[in-house]
Amino acid sequence: MIRKMINIIVFSCLSIMLFGCASDEERIDVTFELSNDIKVNVTQVAKDYLIKNNCGTSETIQVGTASITDYLVGASDEVSDPKDIGQVVYKVTFKDKSHVVTGLPEVLINQEDNRVVGFKVGK
C-alpha cells in the first residue's frame, strides 16, 4: 500500500515537472508540420482580414514574410466570441517595414475552419 502511494506521488511529481514547467507557447509549436496548402490558405485569410479592416493594403502586407505558429487564445486577446478563449489557433504574423511605429496585428485563425477568431495588437 505504501509502495503504491509512493509510486503515485513520484509519477505525479514527474508529470508536473515535465508538463507544468514550460509555458503554453513553448509547448504548442507544430508549425513545421503545416502543409503548403494550409500555409497559403491561412496566410490569405489573414491578409484579407487585415485589408478588410484597413490595417494595410495589398502592397504593404508582404505574404512572403508571414509566419504561422500555434497559439493558445488568452483572455487578453481581442476575440469576437468568448468561447474561443482557451482554444489553440493559428497565429499569423507579417513582418513590417522597420520605420513603422506599430506593427500589423497578429491574426488569430481557427485551425478547423480557417475562420478569423480575433487578433493581437502588433508590436
Side-chain angles (χ1 to χ4, degrees), residues 16-30:
I16 291 170
M17 287 183 354
L18 289 174
F19 300 110
C21 294
S23 71
D24 291 332
E25 281 194 44
E26 291 174 2
R27 286 186 285 164
I28 303 170
D29 187 13
V30 293

Side-chain angles (χ1 to χ4, degrees), residues 2-123:
I2 293 175
R3 182 172 171 87
K4 187 175 182 180
M5 291 296 286
I6 291 174
N7 286 340
I8 291 173
I9 292 171
V10 168
F11 179 74
S12 298
C13 290
L14 287 174
S15 296
I16 291 170
M17 287 183 354
L18 289 174
F19 300 110
C21 294
S23 71
D24 291 332
E25 281 194 44
E26 291 174 2
R27 286 186 285 164
I28 303 170
D29 187 13
V30 293
T31 53
F32 59 89
E33 295 179 9
L34 292 177
S35 72
N36 195 39
D37 291 339
I38 292 174
K39 287 180 186 178
V40 169
N41 291 341
V42 169
T43 302
Q44 188 61 46
V45 168
K47 178 181 177 181
D48 292 345
Y49 175 80
L50 292 174
I51 292 171
K52 178 182 173 187
N53 290 288
N54 297 322
C55 296
T57 64
S58 294
E59 293 79 33
T60 60
I61 301 172
Q62 302 169 0
V63 176
T65 65
S67 67
I68 303 170
T69 56
D70 284 356
Y71 179 75
L72 182 64
V73 178
S76 63
D77 298 322
E78 297 291 331
V79 293
S80 55
D81 188 353
K83 293 178 187 175
D84 290 318
I85 295 173
Q87 301 295 317
V88 178
V89 297
Y90 294 129
K91 179 175 74 171
V92 183
T93 306
F94 294 98
K95 187 174 181 180
D96 283 330
K97 295 180 181 178
S98 58
H99 64 279
V100 296
V101 177
T102 59
L104 291 170
E106 299 172 322
V107 183
L108 306 176
I109 299 176
N110 185 297
Q111 293 182 346
E112 295 175 7
D113 58 7
N114 287 349
R115 156 183 72 81
V116 175
V117 299
F119 66 92
K120 288 179 55 84
V121 177
K123 297 174 185 173

